[in-house]
Each structure stands twice: as C-alpha cells, then as structure tokens.
Amino acid sequence: CSPACVNGACNSPGVCTCSGGWSGSTCATPICTSVCANGGTCSAPNTCTCTSSWTGATCATPVCSPVCSNGGTCSSPGTCTCTSSWTGSRCTTPVCSPACANGGTCSAPNTCTCASGWTGATCTTPVCSTACSNGGTCSA
C-alpha cells in the first residue's frame, strides 16, 4: 500500500484493514469511544490528551493549581467552591459568623482572636484591668 498502513494491514493495493481502535485510509486516526471534552484530543485508542486546565480519562475534571484547601472543591479551572466555613480563592480564609468585633481577627472557622482589652467568642466583652466595685460593670 502506498501510502503505508500505519496501524493495520494492507489487504490489496491501496486498501488498509485497520487494527482495533484505529481508522482512516492509512489507519492513522485513533478512535476514542468517549468524546474528549473541553478541548482534549484523541491521541491514541481510547486515550485523551487534555489541555492544562482539565484532567481525567475524558478531560472532564477541572484543574485548580494550587489545589483547593479545607474541603473546597475545584468547580471549574482555577475556581474553588468552598465549604461554608472557609472563603477566598483557595478556601484558606476562615469564616466567623457573627463577625469578630473590636479589632478581633477570625483565626479559624467561628474562632476569634481578640485584640488587647477584649474577650469573648466575638470579642464583645471588655476586659477591665481593675475589678469594678459596688455592683459596677466593666465597659469599654
């Protein structure tokens, strides 16, 4: 056969019989039984070669780099969907609800680290350096 059969046998002049998984006049075109998605190409029988944004057998799984943290999932290339306890592009910023007050910072999900002079779950209780007398209460 001219041109030569690449992945098959020449049965008569100009006629190739392709091996399993190959097609075309010279048996050079691979066959993928599942479609290669998201710009992936069929590079060998049932083998997809994916773009850098996708992975998996059929290029259907998005890639996030760096990876999503704290239970977040990669929902599309480069995009993380976070759990309710985390936020940010890679799910690395904790969420405090209600928010930390009086200069406190959210250091872990629903955990405030209070600024000097404040205490409590959301930093709303003032800390008095001297005890209050005669039934008085500490105020900021």
Side-chain angles (χ1 to χ4, degrees):
C1 285
S2 182
C5 301
V6 179
N7 295 292
C10 185
N11 284 348
S12 61
V15 178
C16 293
T17 300
C18 299
S19 302
W22 296 94
S23 67
S25 60
T26 62
C27 305
T29 304
I31 298 170
C32 288
T33 53
S34 297
V35 174
C36 300
N38 301 304
T41 56
C42 185
S43 55
N46 292 317
T47 302
C48 294
T49 298
C50 306
T51 65
S52 61
S53 297
W54 298 90
T55 190
T58 60
C59 307
T61 303
V63 172
C64 286
S65 183
V67 298
C68 306
S69 298
N70 299 304
T73 57
C74 188
S75 52
S76 64
T79 302
C80 295
T81 298
C82 306
T83 64
S84 61
S85 297
W86 297 91
T87 190
S89 63
R90 296 290 173 251
C91 308
T92 56
T93 303
V95 173
C96 287
S97 183
C100 305
N102 299 307
T105 56
C106 188
S107 54
N110 291 320
T111 303
C112 294
T113 299
C114 300
S116 179
W118 297 94
T119 190
T122 57
C123 307
T124 54
T125 304
V127 175
C128 289
S129 57
T130 57
C132 300
S133 301
N134 301 317
T137 57
C138 183
S139 59

